[in-house]
Amino acid sequence: MTQKIGAGLLSCADKIWETADTLRGAGIKASDWPAYMMPFFALMMLESRLRRFRQSRIDEFRRETEHAFNFEDAAHREWLEYSAKAANKGYHPELLLHGKGLGETCLVPGGNFLNRLLAHLDQYDPDTKRLLGIGYAQGHAKFLDMQGKASDLFSRDNCPLYPFAQKWASIDLTPFDNSEITTIEEHIKRKWADISAETAGEQYTPSDVIDLATALIVELRHECKGGAGIADIYDMASGGGNFLFATEDAMRDAFPELSVRTRGQELNDALYALAAIEARFREGARIEWGNTLTNDHFLLDKFDAIVANPPYGVDWKDFKRHLEMDASGRFDPKRMPPTSDGQLLFLQHAAFHLSEIGVATIVHSGSTLFSGDAGGGESETRRWLIQEQDIVEAIIQLPKNEFFNTGIHTYLWVLNRAKPANRKGFVLLINAETCFTKLRKNLNQKNCEIDEVNRARIVQAFRDFADGPISRKLPIDALLYNKVELELWRHDEEGRAIGKTEKIEGKKIVVRSDDALYNVDAGLLDLAPFAGKTVKEAIALFHEAARNAELTTVDVSGGQFYGRENETGTIWVGPENKGLGVLSVRAKAVKSKGQERARVDIALDRLLEKDSETVPYSSDEAINNQLIADFLARWVHEPWCLHGWKTGCEINFNRVFPKQSGIRASKEILKDIAAVEEEMARLEAEIAADLCVEGDDGTGNER
């Protein structure tokens, strides 16, 4: 995880992490440390960028005018202030004109340091104060909440605010460029994630996963020969911006002539603020705050590259109605997943925002591959992406335990709006489950990483787009299936069943449900056993007894007998077993001779059951119909009625990449059995000898 961090960056990251010692000493629990560290990290990042900006403008003034910049000259100061405000990267007069930042504020110990700190921070421009969390009104978002966290530290025993701020003030981020700042941030977040699984799961994507995703984005850009022009990059769940800005850096490195613009949206207050501050110092970057699904700030935009690690298993029932009424075209009522997990909504959102040459790498959990039944919202989303849109180019199974707070399998979806002709109609599955190296020390649940060698191996498999040691090239039809709905006429093992409906009538009928007897005279139920009950209550009790009985029999006047074992469905007519069927005994309330009575209808009928079968699929209608017919003819042996079928879609990595289990030779198994039998015989002999000794005291008398 540290191979990208040089000595200078690593030293800086370690100094940042040492600030946690003050928090530990103040009694703040480890999982809360990030909330105190993030605002000060953002402040020092902001200061470093403003100091660099200040110096660059002074140098520019010297080059343009061939005169030294004079801070005593009002015209020079006015030019610098105007330049800073126009750049809209943040404005602080003391920092801009006199170089006074947090370090200078910390020079004088003692006094009311909280007031001095807040007075210093209050000089920033309104938008910077909003992001830092200074002077927010009650009920408004606090974002990084610098004011709240500083006040909390000031109020604690020993007042740790001053030493904490002093440590941060000694950290100079000025020497590092934007990419290096992001690397430091990644390193710190990795440590935060090691401490707080709750924070990590929603907010942090490991750098090795980011490196793989960005490598694939670069590869796809190479394939479409897009080394020049403009590339718009988007992250719909941008967090602190690491994934988004790492993709930007990778694209700039790979294509120096490419003009890159980044866009992101994030719901978490603090992470949005962190990303928004960094975005100020990246050319063409813009981060918005809010729920991507309900309030899309980039609704009219299309993007050439999309990266994201949206949240897993997040409930969206609170805005279900809102999305069902969404008229943007992003979502379709037929493709709505269950409200317990909105991952597939993010996939639909990404597909909507892809440009004509747009590509995407999006991290998801396994539920996006197989959850839901044919015809349901989840299956329909997969089918829409894979078959109708044909934009899914590859799906990569990542190693287990890649993330900090979960050991579940995760998958990288690779989308491409401009799939090459030779890849249309196909999806590449890559099983990278074993493409990792073990970490020396586990980071919470993360115990492995995709190193450079394995990353190159995965990218090469994607580039080859063919069957290989870790890859399978599948036609789209192989990922689809027919779910055939049937009604079966059930028969017993000898092929017997009730052949037709037969109504049972007689002047006197006795219905037995286990030990209970119910008389039916001229079709009317004798209500005497139900004394004190209304007719409706009697009917309900009668039905309950028939439903719960193991055996129901019907004796008709004249000696005719019918019976049914309700568990097996076996029917008797007289003494003869007639096979499987239904003995239907139903009562209903009727008017008879001016009073309400219970009429009973009794009938024998065929045992019909609904069933469904999963049948292979073909996009050719004639072939598909034949596949269904052949399957039913081969595997369904009872008479059936076809009620139709639905097309489903799922991706099953275990079926495509079956796990081999070692099968022992029969000789080895027999040898082990013989050893066990020999051991059992020995134990039996020892037990028999012990019993003999206990039962005889040597004189022939039992003890």
PDB file of all heavy atoms in Angstrom, residues 674-694:
ATOM      1  N   ALA A 674     -10.901 -49.910   6.693  1.00  0.00           N
ATOM      2  CA  ALA A 674     -10.356 -51.106   7.349  1.00  0.00           C
ATOM      3  C   ALA A 674      -9.660 -50.744   8.657  1.00  0.00           C
ATOM      4  O   ALA A 674      -9.779 -51.461   9.664  1.00  0.00           O
ATOM      5  CB  ALA A 674      -9.383 -51.809   6.401  1.00  0.00           C
ATOM      6  N   ALA A 675      -8.944 -49.619   8.669  1.00  0.00           N
ATOM      7  CA  ALA A 675      -8.259 -49.186   9.896  1.00  0.00           C
ATOM      8  C   ALA A 675      -9.261 -48.848  10.984  1.00  0.00           C
ATOM      9  O   ALA A 675      -9.064 -49.173  12.167  1.00  0.00           O
ATOM     10  CB  ALA A 675      -7.376 -47.984   9.587  1.00  0.00           C
ATOM     11  N   VAL A 676     -10.358 -48.197  10.606  1.00  0.00           N
ATOM     12  CA  VAL A 676     -11.395 -47.863  11.584  1.00  0.00           C
ATOM     13  C   VAL A 676     -12.049 -49.126  12.132  1.00  0.00           C
ATOM     14  O   VAL A 676     -12.290 -49.255  13.343  1.00  0.00           O
ATOM     15  CB  VAL A 676     -12.451 -46.930  10.943  1.00  0.00           C
ATOM     16  CG1 VAL A 676     -13.640 -46.740  11.885  1.00  0.00           C
ATOM     17  CG2 VAL A 676     -11.843 -45.585  10.601  1.00  0.00           C
ATOM     18  N   GLU A 677     -12.342 -50.080  11.254  1.00  0.00           N
ATOM     19  CA  GLU A 677     -12.957 -51.342  11.701  1.00  0.00           C
ATOM     20  C   GLU A 677     -12.035 -52.093  12.645  1.00  0.00           C
ATOM     21  O   GLU A 677     -12.471 -52.669  13.648  1.00  0.00           O
ATOM     22  CB  GLU A 677     -13.303 -52.197  10.482  1.00  0.00           C
ATOM     23  CG  GLU A 677     -14.466 -51.643   9.655  1.00  0.00           C
ATOM     24  CD  GLU A 677     -14.724 -52.469   8.415  1.00  0.00           C
ATOM     25  OE1 GLU A 677     -13.818 -53.255   8.013  1.00  0.00           O
ATOM     26  OE2 GLU A 677     -15.828 -52.334   7.834  1.00  0.00           O
ATOM     27  N   GLU A 678     -10.740 -52.078  12.335  1.00  0.00           N
ATOM     28  CA  GLU A 678      -9.769 -52.748  13.200  1.00  0.00           C
ATOM     29  C   GLU A 678      -9.713 -52.085  14.580  1.00  0.00           C
ATOM     30  O   GLU A 678      -9.673 -52.758  15.609  1.00  0.00           O
ATOM     31  CB  GLU A 678      -8.390 -52.707  12.536  1.00  0.00           C
ATOM     32  CG  GLU A 678      -7.312 -53.456  13.311  1.00  0.00           C
ATOM     33  CD  GLU A 678      -5.974 -53.408  12.601  1.00  0.00           C
ATOM     34  OE1 GLU A 678      -5.955 -53.092  11.401  1.00  0.00           O
ATOM     35  OE2 GLU A 678      -4.954 -53.682  13.268  1.00  0.00           O
ATOM     36  N   GLU A 679      -9.749 -50.765  14.591  1.00  0.00           N
ATOM     37  CA  GLU A 679      -9.736 -50.026  15.854  1.00  0.00           C
ATOM     38  C   GLU A 679     -11.004 -50.300  16.662  1.00  0.00           C
ATOM     39  O   GLU A 679     -10.953 -50.465  17.889  1.00  0.00           O
ATOM     40  CB  GLU A 679      -9.606 -48.524  15.565  1.00  0.00           C
ATOM     41  CG  GLU A 679      -9.608 -47.634  16.792  1.00  0.00           C
ATOM     42  CD  GLU A 679      -8.395 -47.825  17.679  1.00  0.00           C
ATOM     43  OE1 GLU A 679      -7.424 -48.492  17.247  1.00  0.00           O
ATOM     44  OE2 GLU A 679      -8.410 -47.305  18.810  1.00  0.00           O
ATOM     45  N   MET A 680     -12.156 -50.375  15.989  1.00  0.00           N
ATOM     46  CA  MET A 680     -13.412 -50.664  16.677  1.00  0.00           C
ATOM     47  C   MET A 680     -13.393 -52.066  17.283  1.00  0.00           C
ATOM     48  O   MET A 680     -13.861 -52.280  18.409  1.00  0.00           O
ATOM     49  CB  MET A 680     -14.592 -50.529  15.706  1.00  0.00           C
ATOM     50  CG  MET A 680     -14.882 -49.091  15.288  1.00  0.00           C
ATOM     51  SD  MET A 680     -16.233 -48.973  14.099  1.00  0.00           S
ATOM     52  CE  MET A 680     -17.607 -49.559  15.101  1.00  0.00           C
ATOM     53  N   ALA A 681     -12.846 -53.045  16.529  1.00  0.00           N
ATOM     54  CA  ALA A 681     -12.756 -54.417  17.055  1.00  0.00           C
ATOM     55  C   ALA A 681     -11.863 -54.461  18.293  1.00  0.00           C
ATOM     56  O   ALA A 681     -12.159 -55.158  19.277  1.00  0.00           O
ATOM     57  CB  ALA A 681     -12.218 -55.352  15.966  1.00  0.00           C
ATOM     58  N   ARG A 682     -10.765 -53.708  18.268  1.00  0.00           N
ATOM     59  CA  ARG A 682      -9.865 -53.677  19.419  1.00  0.00           C
ATOM     60  C   ARG A 682     -10.559 -53.091  20.646  1.00  0.00           C
ATOM     61  O   ARG A 682     -10.444 -53.611  21.759  1.00  0.00           O
ATOM     62  CB  ARG A 682      -8.621 -52.866  19.071  1.00  0.00           C
ATOM     63  CG  ARG A 682      -7.542 -52.859  20.166  1.00  0.00           C
ATOM     64  CD  ARG A 682      -6.391 -51.936  19.779  1.00  0.00           C
ATOM     65  NE  ARG A 682      -6.810 -50.546  19.697  1.00  0.00           N
ATOM     66  CZ  ARG A 682      -6.994 -49.773  20.775  1.00  0.00           C
ATOM     67  NH1 ARG A 682      -6.826 -50.257  22.005  1.00  0.00           N
ATOM     68  NH2 ARG A 682      -7.369 -48.521  20.622  1.00  0.00           N
ATOM     69  N   LEU A 683     -11.302 -51.999  20.428  1.00  0.00           N
ATOM     70  CA  LEU A 683     -12.011 -51.365  21.531  1.00  0.00           C
ATOM     71  C   LEU A 683     -13.090 -52.275  22.103  1.00  0.00           C
ATOM     72  O   LEU A 683     -13.291 -52.354  23.326  1.00  0.00           O
ATOM     73  CB  LEU A 683     -12.637 -50.050  21.069  1.00  0.00           C
ATOM     74  CG  LEU A 683     -11.648 -48.921  20.733  1.00  0.00           C
ATOM     75  CD1 LEU A 683     -12.387 -47.737  20.114  1.00  0.00           C
ATOM     76  CD2 LEU A 683     -10.907 -48.476  21.985  1.00  0.00           C
ATOM     77  N   GLU A 684     -13.797 -52.996  21.235  1.00  0.00           N
ATOM     78  CA  GLU A 684     -14.824 -53.933  21.706  1.00  0.00           C
ATOM     79  C   GLU A 684     -14.211 -55.041  22.551  1.00  0.00           C
ATOM     80  O   GLU A 684     -14.770 -55.455  23.579  1.00  0.00           O
ATOM     81  CB  GLU A 684     -15.570 -54.529  20.513  1.00  0.00           C
ATOM     82  CG  GLU A 684     -16.495 -53.540  19.810  1.00  0.00           C
ATOM     83  CD  GLU A 684     -17.110 -54.122  18.549  1.00  0.00           C
ATOM     84  OE1 GLU A 684     -16.749 -55.263  18.190  1.00  0.00           O
ATOM     85  OE2 GLU A 684     -17.946 -53.430  17.927  1.00  0.00           O
ATOM     86  N   ALA A 685     -13.033 -55.520  22.124  1.00  0.00           N
ATOM     87  CA  ALA A 685     -12.357 -56.580  22.891  1.00  0.00           C
ATOM     88  C   ALA A 685     -11.937 -56.069  24.266  1.00  0.00           C
ATOM     89  O   ALA A 685     -12.078 -56.768  25.278  1.00  0.00           O
ATOM     90  CB  ALA A 685     -11.146 -57.088  22.107  1.00  0.00           C
ATOM     91  N   GLU A 686     -11.438 -54.836  24.324  1.00  0.00           N
ATOM     92  CA  GLU A 686     -11.023 -54.268  25.605  1.00  0.00           C
ATOM     93  C   GLU A 686     -12.213 -54.085  26.535  1.00  0.00           C
ATOM     94  O   GLU A 686     -12.127 -54.357  27.743  1.00  0.00           O
ATOM     95  CB  GLU A 686     -10.328 -52.927  25.380  1.00  0.00           C
ATOM     96  CG  GLU A 686      -8.953 -53.043  24.740  1.00  0.00           C
ATOM     97  CD  GLU A 686      -8.311 -51.677  24.524  1.00  0.00           C
ATOM     98  OE1 GLU A 686      -8.982 -50.668  24.847  1.00  0.00           O
ATOM     99  OE2 GLU A 686      -7.167 -51.622  24.038  1.00  0.00           O
ATOM    100  N   ILE A 687     -13.362 -53.615  25.971  1.00  0.00           N
ATOM    101  CA  ILE A 687     -14.563 -53.420  26.793  1.00  0.00           C
ATOM    102  C   ILE A 687     -15.057 -54.750  27.330  1.00  0.00           C
ATOM    103  O   ILE A 687     -15.435 -54.880  28.506  1.00  0.00           O
ATOM    104  CB  ILE A 687     -15.664 -52.723  25.972  1.00  0.00           C
ATOM    105  CG1 ILE A 687     -15.239 -51.285  25.649  1.00  0.00           C
ATOM    106  CG2 ILE A 687     -16.997 -52.726  26.715  1.00  0.00           C
ATOM    107  CD1 ILE A 687     -16.133 -50.591  24.656  1.00  0.00           C
ATOM    108  N   ALA A 688     -15.041 -55.804  26.483  1.00  0.00           N
ATOM    109  CA  ALA A 688     -15.495 -57.133  26.919  1.00  0.00           C
ATOM    110  C   ALA A 688     -14.599 -57.667  28.028  1.00  0.00           C
ATOM    111  O   ALA A 688     -15.076 -58.254  29.012  1.00  0.00           O
ATOM    112  CB  ALA A 688     -15.505 -58.093  25.727  1.00  0.00           C
ATOM    113  N   ALA A 689     -13.292 -57.458  27.910  1.00  0.00           N
ATOM    114  CA  ALA A 689     -12.358 -57.933  28.942  1.00  0.00           C
ATOM    115  C   ALA A 689     -12.599 -57.206  30.260  1.00  0.00           C
ATOM    116  O   ALA A 689     -12.588 -57.804  31.343  1.00  0.00           O
ATOM    117  CB  ALA A 689     -10.921 -57.721  28.472  1.00  0.00           C
ATOM    118  N   ASP A 690     -12.857 -55.884  30.198  1.00  0.00           N
ATOM    119  CA  ASP A 690     -13.131 -55.120  31.413  1.00  0.00           C
ATOM    120  C   ASP A 690     -14.404 -55.592  32.091  1.00  0.00           C
ATOM    121  O   ASP A 690     -14.470 -55.705  33.327  1.00  0.00           O
ATOM    122  CB  ASP A 690     -13.249 -53.629  31.081  1.00  0.00           C
ATOM    123  CG  ASP A 690     -11.906 -53.028  30.693  1.00  0.00           C
ATOM    124  OD1 ASP A 690     -10.871 -53.659  30.972  1.00  0.00           O
ATOM    125  OD2 ASP A 690     -11.906 -51.936  30.087  1.00  0.00           O
ATOM    126  N   LEU A 691     -15.445 -55.893  31.310  1.00  0.00           N
ATOM    127  CA  LEU A 691     -16.701 -56.373  31.887  1.00  0.00           C
ATOM    128  C   LEU A 691     -16.515 -57.726  32.570  1.00  0.00           C
ATOM    129  O   LEU A 691     -17.106 -58.001  33.616  1.00  0.00           O
ATOM    130  CB  LEU A 691     -17.769 -56.476  30.790  1.00  0.00           C
ATOM    131  CG  LEU A 691     -18.287 -55.143  30.227  1.00  0.00           C
ATOM    132  CD1 LEU A 691     -19.222 -55.402  29.047  1.00  0.00           C
ATOM    133  CD2 LEU A 691     -19.015 -54.360  31.308  1.00  0.00           C
ATOM    134  N   CYS A 692     -15.691 -58.548  31.979  1.00  0.00           N
ATOM    135  CA  CYS A 692     -15.428 -59.873  32.557  1.00  0.00           C
ATOM    136  C   CYS A 692     -14.737 -59.741  33.909  1.00  0.00           C
ATOM    137  O   CYS A 692     -15.064 -60.421  34.882  1.00  0.00           O
ATOM    138  CB  CYS A 692     -14.578 -60.700  31.594  1.00  0.00           C
ATOM    139  SG  CYS A 692     -14.240 -62.390  32.185  1.00  0.00           S
ATOM    140  N   VAL A 693     -13.774 -58.847  34.014  1.00  0.00           N
ATOM    141  CA  VAL A 693     -13.053 -58.634  35.276  1.00  0.00           C
ATOM    142  C   VAL A 693     -13.988 -58.086  36.340  1.00  0.00           C
ATOM    143  O   VAL A 693     -13.979 -58.501  37.503  1.00  0.00           O
ATOM    144  CB  VAL A 693     -11.868 -57.682  35.055  1.00  0.00           C
ATOM    145  CG1 VAL A 693     -11.245 -57.272  36.381  1.00  0.00           C
ATOM    146  CG2 VAL A 693     -10.828 -58.350  34.172  1.00  0.00           C
ATOM    147  N   GLU A 694     -14.869 -57.135  35.980  1.00  0.00           N
ATOM    148  CA  GLU A 694     -15.782 -56.537  36.943  1.00  0.00           C
ATOM    149  C   GLU A 694     -16.809 -57.544  37.442  1.00  0.00           C
ATOM    150  O   GLU A 694     -17.280 -57.467  38.577  1.00  0.00           O
ATOM    151  CB  GLU A 694     -16.503 -55.342  36.305  1.00  0.00           C
ATOM    152  CG  GLU A 694     -15.602 -54.137  36.085  1.00  0.00           C
ATOM    153  CD  GLU A 694     -16.359 -52.989  35.458  1.00  0.00           C
ATOM    154  OE1 GLU A 694     -17.585 -53.135  35.255  1.00  0.00           O
ATOM    155  OE2 GLU A 694     -15.736 -51.958  35.178  1.00  0.00           O
TER     156      GLU A 694
END
